[in-house]
Amino acid sequence: MRKRHDIPAGTLHSLTVESDLIAANLLGDPAARETVVYVPHGHDGAGLPLLMDLAGFTGSGLGHVAWKNFGENLPERLDRLIHEGQLPPVVVAMPDGFTRLGGNQYVDSLAIGQWGQYLTGPVLAAIESRFGCGGKGRRGVFGKSSGGYGAIIHAMRYPDVWSAAACHSGDMGFELCYLPDMPNVLRALARKDMSIERFIADFEAGPKFSGGDIHVLMTLAMAATYDPDPSAFLGVRLPVDPQTCELIPERWSAWAAQDPLSLAPGHLDALRQMKALWIDCGRVDQYNLVYGARRLSRILTDGGVAHVYEEFDDNHSSIDYRLDGSLPVLVNALNA
């Protein structure tokens, strides 16, 4: 059951790529992970540009190809945009970056795995060798939320790999989007004798979980990403005092160093190499990300980095429709 029955459908292919880069994680996650690859109708992929889709927290590329009620999944959106002439034909890779801690920021972490190197190394090599797409100057990356964070960080750190990027409502301005959750995290852990291991065990045991528990898990995942402790359970240590919620300066500085707002000034040359750079955020984003997005746009403008910056009248949820604007910009730039 597709939303549109009059549009030819592209084909979906599955690649499984195993690598020691992500085998070395503290979560027990598998080293072999699936990536779904969309190839547009009437094409085999050869000579087309390549985009990589980074899913948000609790998401996966596998979820982006699932049936969607009253809307379009990502392949259907691509089919429509290409059919209507709004988007040139493009291959889109959707990796499964889900983890035991609920998500991925797509960077290298001692706890989560070397996901930055994994995606830009063996995964890209497998896709391009099979489909003949992409190549230098013909690759872009996009995502929303945690995926948006991953996209902008990849643009900064891997300008030799990516030539275009779109960051939709990406994590930035860490003191605004993460610190407000710390008291709730400590209250949740207090119910488990301040044991992260017990919280995770009870969460995994189910039989169901609350939205509040997901937010606690997200904070634990960020701790394992930005400041992992190899000696701690799943590598998780928090940047606050467990009794007073006071910031621990050394721990928080490790988080802050991974904030796009901290990284951008030192990576302006890399960002200037992007053929297209798109940043947007909802004006009423419930995680306060619009303030970080505004700051990032100002840093880029002051640094002479060409980019599109847009705000829209919505929050953080159900904003896939924003891809109708960003994807054509990325692909047209990659084709130029």
Side-chain angles (χ1 to χ4, degrees), residues 155-188:
M156 293 181 191
R157 291 180 172 163
Y158 304 105
D160 56 329
V161 174
W162 309 111
S163 297
C167 170
H168 295 280
S169 304
D171 298 5
M172 60 187 73
F174 283 4
E175 76 281 7
L176 296 176
C177 64
Y178 294 144
L179 286 184
D181 278 338
M182 291 297 173
N184 291 330
V185 171
L186 295 185
R187 281 191 283 268

PDB file of all heavy atoms in Angstrom, residues 155-188:
ATOM      1  N   ALA A 155      30.576  16.554   7.565  1.00  0.00           N
ATOM      2  CA  ALA A 155      31.007  17.616   6.644  1.00  0.00           C
ATOM      3  C   ALA A 155      32.266  18.296   7.160  1.00  0.00           C
ATOM      4  O   ALA A 155      33.154  18.660   6.378  1.00  0.00           O
ATOM      5  CB  ALA A 155      29.890  18.635   6.465  1.00  0.00           C
ATOM      6  N   MET A 156      32.360  18.455   8.480  1.00  0.00           N
ATOM      7  CA  MET A 156      33.535  19.096   9.060  1.00  0.00           C
ATOM      8  C   MET A 156      34.755  18.192   9.012  1.00  0.00           C
ATOM      9  O   MET A 156      35.866  18.641   8.697  1.00  0.00           O
ATOM     10  CB  MET A 156      33.249  19.473  10.514  1.00  0.00           C
ATOM     11  CG  MET A 156      32.201  20.551  10.713  1.00  0.00           C
ATOM     12  SD  MET A 156      32.005  20.905  12.483  1.00  0.00           S
ATOM     13  CE  MET A 156      30.514  21.915  12.460  1.00  0.00           C
ATOM     14  N   ARG A 157      34.566  16.917   9.339  1.00  0.00           N
ATOM     15  CA  ARG A 157      35.700  16.013   9.545  1.00  0.00           C
ATOM     16  C   ARG A 157      36.108  15.234   8.303  1.00  0.00           C
ATOM     17  O   ARG A 157      37.235  14.752   8.223  1.00  0.00           O
ATOM     18  CB  ARG A 157      35.372  15.036  10.680  1.00  0.00           C
ATOM     19  CG  ARG A 157      35.305  15.698  12.047  1.00  0.00           C
ATOM     20  CD  ARG A 157      34.978  14.709  13.138  1.00  0.00           C
ATOM     21  NE  ARG A 157      35.098  15.341  14.460  1.00  0.00           N
ATOM     22  CZ  ARG A 157      34.576  14.847  15.584  1.00  0.00           C
ATOM     23  NH1 ARG A 157      33.919  13.697  15.545  1.00  0.00           N
ATOM     24  NH2 ARG A 157      34.731  15.472  16.740  1.00  0.00           N
ATOM     25  N   TYR A 158      35.207  15.099   7.343  1.00  0.00           N
ATOM     26  CA  TYR A 158      35.501  14.283   6.166  1.00  0.00           C
ATOM     27  C   TYR A 158      35.199  15.032   4.865  1.00  0.00           C
ATOM     28  O   TYR A 158      34.460  14.538   4.012  1.00  0.00           O
ATOM     29  CB  TYR A 158      34.693  12.987   6.210  1.00  0.00           C
ATOM     30  CG  TYR A 158      34.885  12.166   7.463  1.00  0.00           C
ATOM     31  CD1 TYR A 158      33.899  12.123   8.444  1.00  0.00           C
ATOM     32  CD2 TYR A 158      36.034  11.405   7.664  1.00  0.00           C
ATOM     33  CE1 TYR A 158      34.056  11.361   9.595  1.00  0.00           C
ATOM     34  CE2 TYR A 158      36.204  10.638   8.809  1.00  0.00           C
ATOM     35  CZ  TYR A 158      35.212  10.624   9.772  1.00  0.00           C
ATOM     36  OH  TYR A 158      35.376   9.869  10.909  1.00  0.00           O
ATOM     37  N   PRO A 159      35.780  16.233   4.678  1.00  0.00           N
ATOM     38  CA  PRO A 159      35.497  16.960   3.440  1.00  0.00           C
ATOM     39  C   PRO A 159      36.089  16.290   2.209  1.00  0.00           C
ATOM     40  O   PRO A 159      35.685  16.612   1.086  1.00  0.00           O
ATOM     41  CB  PRO A 159      36.142  18.332   3.688  1.00  0.00           C
ATOM     42  CG  PRO A 159      37.244  18.051   4.656  1.00  0.00           C
ATOM     43  CD  PRO A 159      36.712  16.964   5.555  1.00  0.00           C
ATOM     44  N   ASP A 160      37.014  15.356   2.426  1.00  0.00           N
ATOM     45  CA  ASP A 160      37.558  14.589   1.303  1.00  0.00           C
ATOM     46  C   ASP A 160      36.610  13.477   0.873  1.00  0.00           C
ATOM     47  O   ASP A 160      36.769  12.900  -0.199  1.00  0.00           O
ATOM     48  CB  ASP A 160      38.910  13.986   1.684  1.00  0.00           C
ATOM     49  CG  ASP A 160      38.851  13.132   2.941  1.00  0.00           C
ATOM     50  OD1 ASP A 160      38.018  13.435   3.829  1.00  0.00           O
ATOM     51  OD2 ASP A 160      39.631  12.166   3.052  1.00  0.00           O
ATOM     52  N   VAL A 161      35.611  13.188   1.716  1.00  0.00           N
ATOM     53  CA  VAL A 161      34.620  12.139   1.413  1.00  0.00           C
ATOM     54  C   VAL A 161      33.321  12.758   0.920  1.00  0.00           C
ATOM     55  O   VAL A 161      32.801  12.401  -0.135  1.00  0.00           O
ATOM     56  CB  VAL A 161      34.349  11.266   2.659  1.00  0.00           C
ATOM     57  CG1 VAL A 161      33.218  10.274   2.390  1.00  0.00           C
ATOM     58  CG2 VAL A 161      35.622  10.533   3.084  1.00  0.00           C
ATOM     59  N   TRP A 162      32.777  13.696   1.701  1.00  0.00           N
ATOM     60  CA  TRP A 162      31.475  14.303   1.399  1.00  0.00           C
ATOM     61  C   TRP A 162      31.667  15.646   0.721  1.00  0.00           C
ATOM     62  O   TRP A 162      32.556  16.417   1.080  1.00  0.00           O
ATOM     63  CB  TRP A 162      30.656  14.482   2.671  1.00  0.00           C
ATOM     64  CG  TRP A 162      30.555  13.252   3.511  1.00  0.00           C
ATOM     65  CD1 TRP A 162      31.118  13.023   4.723  1.00  0.00           C
ATOM     66  CD2 TRP A 162      29.837  12.060   3.175  1.00  0.00           C
ATOM     67  NE1 TRP A 162      30.805  11.769   5.174  1.00  0.00           N
ATOM     68  CE2 TRP A 162      30.019  11.144   4.252  1.00  0.00           C
ATOM     69  CE3 TRP A 162      29.056  11.669   2.091  1.00  0.00           C
ATOM     70  CZ2 TRP A 162      29.453   9.873   4.261  1.00  0.00           C
ATOM     71  CZ3 TRP A 162      28.490  10.393   2.088  1.00  0.00           C
ATOM     72  CH2 TRP A 162      28.688   9.516   3.156  1.00  0.00           C
ATOM     73  N   SER A 163      30.777  15.949  -0.232  1.00  0.00           N
ATOM     74  CA  SER A 163      30.822  17.238  -0.923  1.00  0.00           C
ATOM     75  C   SER A 163      29.542  18.042  -0.735  1.00  0.00           C
ATOM     76  O   SER A 163      29.424  19.143  -1.268  1.00  0.00           O
ATOM     77  CB  SER A 163      31.073  17.015  -2.424  1.00  0.00           C
ATOM     78  OG  SER A 163      32.333  16.422  -2.623  1.00  0.00           O
ATOM     79  N   ALA A 164      28.584  17.499   0.018  1.00  0.00           N
ATOM     80  CA  ALA A 164      27.343  18.219   0.311  1.00  0.00           C
ATOM     81  C   ALA A 164      26.754  17.623   1.577  1.00  0.00           C
ATOM     82  O   ALA A 164      26.934  16.430   1.847  1.00  0.00           O
ATOM     83  CB  ALA A 164      26.349  18.102  -0.848  1.00  0.00           C
ATOM     84  N   ALA A 165      26.045  18.446   2.347  1.00  0.00           N
ATOM     85  CA  ALA A 165      25.478  17.961   3.601  1.00  0.00           C
ATOM     86  C   ALA A 165      24.235  18.763   3.951  1.00  0.00           C
ATOM     87  O   ALA A 165      24.154  19.963   3.673  1.00  0.00           O
ATOM     88  CB  ALA A 165      26.501  18.056   4.734  1.00  0.00           C
ATOM     89  N   ALA A 166      23.269  18.069   4.579  1.00  0.00           N
ATOM     90  CA  ALA A 166      22.068  18.725   5.092  1.00  0.00           C
ATOM     91  C   ALA A 166      21.856  18.296   6.532  1.00  0.00           C
ATOM     92  O   ALA A 166      21.772  17.107   6.826  1.00  0.00           O
ATOM     93  CB  ALA A 166      20.843  18.376   4.251  1.00  0.00           C
ATOM     94  N   CYS A 167      21.787  19.290   7.400  1.00  0.00           N
ATOM     95  CA  CYS A 167      21.578  19.074   8.834  1.00  0.00           C
ATOM     96  C   CYS A 167      20.197  19.598   9.197  1.00  0.00           C
ATOM     97  O   CYS A 167      19.984  20.809   9.268  1.00  0.00           O
ATOM     98  CB  CYS A 167      22.668  19.797   9.622  1.00  0.00           C
ATOM     99  SG  CYS A 167      22.396  19.861  11.404  1.00  0.00           S
ATOM    100  N   HIS A 168      19.264  18.674   9.420  1.00  0.00           N
ATOM    101  CA  HIS A 168      17.902  19.048   9.825  1.00  0.00           C
ATOM    102  C   HIS A 168      17.778  18.895  11.341  1.00  0.00           C
ATOM    103  O   HIS A 168      17.896  17.785  11.877  1.00  0.00           O
ATOM    104  CB  HIS A 168      16.873  18.161   9.130  1.00  0.00           C
ATOM    105  CG  HIS A 168      16.816  18.326   7.647  1.00  0.00           C
ATOM    106  ND1 HIS A 168      16.139  19.364   7.046  1.00  0.00           N
ATOM    107  CD2 HIS A 168      17.354  17.595   6.635  1.00  0.00           C
ATOM    108  CE1 HIS A 168      16.250  19.260   5.731  1.00  0.00           C
ATOM    109  NE2 HIS A 168      16.995  18.192   5.458  1.00  0.00           N
ATOM    110  N   SER A 169      17.568  20.008  12.032  1.00  0.00           N
ATOM    111  CA  SER A 169      17.341  19.984  13.479  1.00  0.00           C
ATOM    112  C   SER A 169      18.399  19.156  14.196  1.00  0.00           C
ATOM    113  O   SER A 169      18.102  18.317  15.049  1.00  0.00           O
ATOM    114  CB  SER A 169      15.944  19.448  13.786  1.00  0.00           C
ATOM    115  OG  SER A 169      14.951  20.203  13.127  1.00  0.00           O
ATOM    116  N   GLY A 170      19.652  19.389  13.850  1.00  0.00           N
ATOM    117  CA  GLY A 170      20.748  18.623  14.425  1.00  0.00           C
ATOM    118  C   GLY A 170      21.100  19.057  15.836  1.00  0.00           C
ATOM    119  O   GLY A 170      20.916  20.208  16.231  1.00  0.00           O
ATOM    120  N   ASP A 171      21.632  18.122  16.622  1.00  0.00           N
ATOM    121  CA  ASP A 171      22.043  18.406  17.993  1.00  0.00           C
ATOM    122  C   ASP A 171      23.179  19.416  17.989  1.00  0.00           C
ATOM    123  O   ASP A 171      24.236  19.185  17.393  1.00  0.00           O
ATOM    124  CB  ASP A 171      22.536  17.132  18.672  1.00  0.00           C
ATOM    125  CG  ASP A 171      21.475  16.058  18.789  1.00  0.00           C
ATOM    126  OD1 ASP A 171      20.370  16.261  18.260  1.00  0.00           O
ATOM    127  OD2 ASP A 171      21.759  15.009  19.402  1.00  0.00           O
ATOM    128  N   MET A 172      23.004  20.512  18.681  1.00  0.00           N
ATOM    129  CA  MET A 172      24.051  21.533  18.847  1.00  0.00           C
ATOM    130  C   MET A 172      23.593  22.516  19.908  1.00  0.00           C
ATOM    131  O   MET A 172      22.409  22.590  20.232  1.00  0.00           O
ATOM    132  CB  MET A 172      24.358  22.240  17.520  1.00  0.00           C
ATOM    133  CG  MET A 172      23.205  22.973  16.886  1.00  0.00           C
ATOM    134  SD  MET A 172      23.618  23.599  15.218  1.00  0.00           S
ATOM    135  CE  MET A 172      23.619  22.096  14.244  1.00  0.00           C
ATOM    136  N   GLY A 173      24.555  23.261  20.452  1.00  0.00           N
ATOM    137  CA  GLY A 173      24.218  24.074  21.619  1.00  0.00           C
ATOM    138  C   GLY A 173      23.949  23.148  22.788  1.00  0.00           C
ATOM    139  O   GLY A 173      22.861  23.154  23.377  1.00  0.00           O
ATOM    140  N   PHE A 174      24.939  22.345  23.150  1.00  0.00           N
ATOM    141  CA  PHE A 174      24.734  21.225  24.073  1.00  0.00           C
ATOM    142  C   PHE A 174      24.190  21.663  25.431  1.00  0.00           C
ATOM    143  O   PHE A 174      23.444  20.919  26.061  1.00  0.00           O
ATOM    144  CB  PHE A 174      26.047  20.460  24.279  1.00  0.00           C
ATOM    145  CG  PHE A 174      26.431  19.547  23.138  1.00  0.00           C
ATOM    146  CD1 PHE A 174      25.687  19.494  21.964  1.00  0.00           C
ATOM    147  CD2 PHE A 174      27.541  18.730  23.246  1.00  0.00           C
ATOM    148  CE1 PHE A 174      26.048  18.656  20.919  1.00  0.00           C
ATOM    149  CE2 PHE A 174      27.915  17.882  22.218  1.00  0.00           C
ATOM    150  CZ  PHE A 174      27.171  17.837  21.054  1.00  0.00           C
ATOM    151  N   GLU A 175      24.570  22.866  25.883  1.00  0.00           N
ATOM    152  CA  GLU A 175      24.082  23.293  27.192  1.00  0.00           C
ATOM    153  C   GLU A 175      22.575  23.539  27.179  1.00  0.00           C
ATOM    154  O   GLU A 175      21.916  23.492  28.220  1.00  0.00           O
ATOM    155  CB  GLU A 175      24.824  24.556  27.665  1.00  0.00           C
ATOM    156  CG  GLU A 175      24.405  25.857  27.006  1.00  0.00           C
ATOM    157  CD  GLU A 175      25.008  26.073  25.616  1.00  0.00           C
ATOM    158  OE1 GLU A 175      25.667  25.149  25.094  1.00  0.00           O
ATOM    159  OE2 GLU A 175      24.813  27.171  25.054  1.00  0.00           O
ATOM    160  N   LEU A 176      22.010  23.757  26.000  1.00  0.00           N
ATOM    161  CA  LEU A 176      20.569  23.977  25.874  1.00  0.00           C
ATOM    162  C   LEU A 176      19.801  22.700  25.591  1.00  0.00           C
ATOM    163  O   LEU A 176      18.669  22.535  26.058  1.00  0.00           O
ATOM    164  CB  LEU A 176      20.294  24.991  24.753  1.00  0.00           C
ATOM    165  CG  LEU A 176      20.832  26.404  24.965  1.00  0.00           C
ATOM    166  CD1 LEU A 176      20.574  27.248  23.730  1.00  0.00           C
ATOM    167  CD2 LEU A 176      20.197  27.040  26.187  1.00  0.00           C
ATOM    168  N   CYS A 177      20.395  21.777  24.830  1.00  0.00           N
ATOM    169  CA  CYS A 177      19.626  20.589  24.436  1.00  0.00           C
ATOM    170  C   CYS A 177      19.860  19.385  25.339  1.00  0.00           C
ATOM    171  O   CYS A 177      19.009  18.488  25.404  1.00  0.00           O
ATOM    172  CB  CYS A 177      19.907  20.218  22.978  1.00  0.00           C
ATOM    173  SG  CYS A 177      21.596  19.715  22.588  1.00  0.00           S
ATOM    174  N   TYR A 178      20.983  19.335  26.043  1.00  0.00           N
ATOM    175  CA  TYR A 178      21.269  18.172  26.886  1.00  0.00           C
ATOM    176  C   TYR A 178      21.162  18.452  28.382  1.00  0.00           C
ATOM    177  O   TYR A 178      20.611  17.647  29.133  1.00  0.00           O
ATOM    178  CB  TYR A 178      22.676  17.637  26.591  1.00  0.00           C
ATOM    179  CG  TYR A 178      22.867  17.059  25.214  1.00  0.00           C
ATOM    180  CD1 TYR A 178      24.082  17.218  24.536  1.00  0.00           C
ATOM    181  CD2 TYR A 178      21.858  16.345  24.563  1.00  0.00           C
ATOM    182  CE1 TYR A 178      24.287  16.684  23.273  1.00  0.00           C
ATOM    183  CE2 TYR A 178      22.052  15.820  23.302  1.00  0.00           C
ATOM    184  CZ  TYR A 178      23.268  15.983  22.661  1.00  0.00           C
ATOM    185  OH  TYR A 178      23.460  15.450  21.407  1.00  0.00           O
ATOM    186  N   LEU A 179      21.682  19.577  28.834  1.00  0.00           N
ATOM    187  CA  LEU A 179      21.710  19.829  30.276  1.00  0.00           C
ATOM    188  C   LEU A 179      20.323  19.871  30.919  1.00  0.00           C
ATOM    189  O   LEU A 179      20.169  19.419  32.062  1.00  0.00           O
ATOM    190  CB  LEU A 179      22.465  21.123  30.579  1.00  0.00           C
ATOM    191  CG  LEU A 179      23.986  21.046  30.437  1.00  0.00           C
ATOM    192  CD1 LEU A 179      24.625  22.359  30.869  1.00  0.00           C
ATOM    193  CD2 LEU A 179      24.565  19.882  31.234  1.00  0.00           C
ATOM    194  N   PRO A 180      19.282  20.386  30.237  1.00  0.00           N
ATOM    195  CA  PRO A 180      17.978  20.395  30.891  1.00  0.00           C
ATOM    196  C   PRO A 180      17.468  19.007  31.284  1.00  0.00           C
ATOM    197  O   PRO A 180      16.609  18.890  32.169  1.00  0.00           O
ATOM    198  CB  PRO A 180      17.062  21.040  29.834  1.00  0.00           C
ATOM    199  CG  PRO A 180      17.971  21.926  29.065  1.00  0.00           C
ATOM    200  CD  PRO A 180      19.260  21.157  28.970  1.00  0.00           C
ATOM    201  N   ASP A 181      17.981  17.946  30.647  1.00  0.00           N
ATOM    202  CA  ASP A 181      17.532  16.595  30.970  1.00  0.00           C
ATOM    203  C   ASP A 181      18.267  15.974  32.151  1.00  0.00           C
ATOM    204  O   ASP A 181      17.845  14.933  32.670  1.00  0.00           O
ATOM    205  CB  ASP A 181      17.719  15.679  29.751  1.00  0.00           C
ATOM    206  CG  ASP A 181      16.591  15.803  28.740  1.00  0.00           C
ATOM    207  OD1 ASP A 181      15.503  16.240  29.140  1.00  0.00           O
ATOM    208  OD2 ASP A 181      16.811  15.472  27.561  1.00  0.00           O
ATOM    209  N   MET A 182      19.372  16.573  32.584  1.00  0.00           N
ATOM    210  CA  MET A 182      20.193  15.925  33.608  1.00  0.00           C
ATOM    211  C   MET A 182      19.458  15.684  34.931  1.00  0.00           C
ATOM    212  O   MET A 182      19.589  14.601  35.521  1.00  0.00           O
ATOM    213  CB  MET A 182      21.472  16.729  33.841  1.00  0.00           C
ATOM    214  CG  MET A 182      22.443  16.709  32.674  1.00  0.00           C
ATOM    215  SD  MET A 182      23.063  15.045  32.313  1.00  0.00           S
ATOM    216  CE  MET A 182      23.966  15.380  30.781  1.00  0.00           C
ATOM    217  N   PRO A 183      18.671  16.632  35.458  1.00  0.00           N
ATOM    218  CA  PRO A 183      17.949  16.327  36.703  1.00  0.00           C
ATOM    219  C   PRO A 183      16.993  15.132  36.562  1.00  0.00           C
ATOM    220  O   PRO A 183      16.900  14.302  37.477  1.00  0.00           O
ATOM    221  CB  PRO A 183      17.189  17.630  36.987  1.00  0.00           C
ATOM    222  CG  PRO A 183      18.001  18.686  36.329  1.00  0.00           C
ATOM    223  CD  PRO A 183      18.517  18.048  35.070  1.00  0.00           C
ATOM    224  N   ASN A 184      16.318  15.035  35.429  1.00  0.00           N
ATOM    225  CA  ASN A 184      15.419  13.892  35.219  1.00  0.00           C
ATOM    226  C   ASN A 184      16.191  12.585  35.137  1.00  0.00           C
ATOM    227  O   ASN A 184      15.712  11.534  35.601  1.00  0.00           O
ATOM    228  CB  ASN A 184      14.604  14.090  33.938  1.00  0.00           C
ATOM    229  CG  ASN A 184      13.593  15.211  34.060  1.00  0.00           C
ATOM    230  OD1 ASN A 184      13.085  15.478  35.141  1.00  0.00           O
ATOM    231  ND2 ASN A 184      13.303  15.864  32.950  1.00  0.00           N
ATOM    232  N   VAL A 185      17.386  12.631  34.559  1.00  0.00           N
ATOM    233  CA  VAL A 185      18.220  11.429  34.490  1.00  0.00           C
ATOM    234  C   VAL A 185      18.594  10.977  35.896  1.00  0.00           C
ATOM    235  O   VAL A 185      18.493   9.784  36.232  1.00  0.00           O
ATOM    236  CB  VAL A 185      19.485  11.697  33.651  1.00  0.00           C
ATOM    237  CG1 VAL A 185      20.469  10.538  33.760  1.00  0.00           C
ATOM    238  CG2 VAL A 185      19.106  11.936  32.198  1.00  0.00           C
ATOM    239  N   LEU A 186      19.007  11.916  36.733  1.00  0.00           N
ATOM    240  CA  LEU A 186      19.396  11.550  38.089  1.00  0.00           C
ATOM    241  C   LEU A 186      18.211  11.039  38.892  1.00  0.00           C
ATOM    242  O   LEU A 186      18.352  10.096  39.687  1.00  0.00           O
ATOM    243  CB  LEU A 186      20.035  12.751  38.785  1.00  0.00           C
ATOM    244  CG  LEU A 186      21.358  13.246  38.195  1.00  0.00           C
ATOM    245  CD1 LEU A 186      21.936  14.361  39.056  1.00  0.00           C
ATOM    246  CD2 LEU A 186      22.358  12.118  38.034  1.00  0.00           C
ATOM    247  N   ARG A 187      17.031  11.611  38.696  1.00  0.00           N
ATOM    248  CA  ARG A 187      15.844  11.108  39.402  1.00  0.00           C
ATOM    249  C   ARG A 187      15.516   9.681  38.971  1.00  0.00           C
ATOM    250  O   ARG A 187      15.143   8.832  39.787  1.00  0.00           O
ATOM    251  CB  ARG A 187      14.662  12.047  39.167  1.00  0.00           C
ATOM    252  CG  ARG A 187      14.693  13.298  40.039  1.00  0.00           C
ATOM    253  CD  ARG A 187      13.381  14.064  39.959  1.00  0.00           C
ATOM    254  NE  ARG A 187      13.285  14.823  38.727  1.00  0.00           N
ATOM    255  CZ  ARG A 187      13.677  16.095  38.606  1.00  0.00           C
ATOM    256  NH1 ARG A 187      14.213  16.728  39.641  1.00  0.00           N
ATOM    257  NH2 ARG A 187      13.540  16.732  37.469  1.00  0.00           N
ATOM    258  N   ALA A 188      15.647   9.421  37.660  1.00  0.00           N
ATOM    259  CA  ALA A 188      15.386   8.068  37.164  1.00  0.00           C
ATOM    260  C   ALA A 188      16.400   7.074  37.722  1.00  0.00           C
ATOM    261  O   ALA A 188      16.049   5.950  38.106  1.00  0.00           O
ATOM    262  CB  ALA A 188      15.417   8.060  35.632  1.00  0.00           C
TER     263      ALA A 188
END
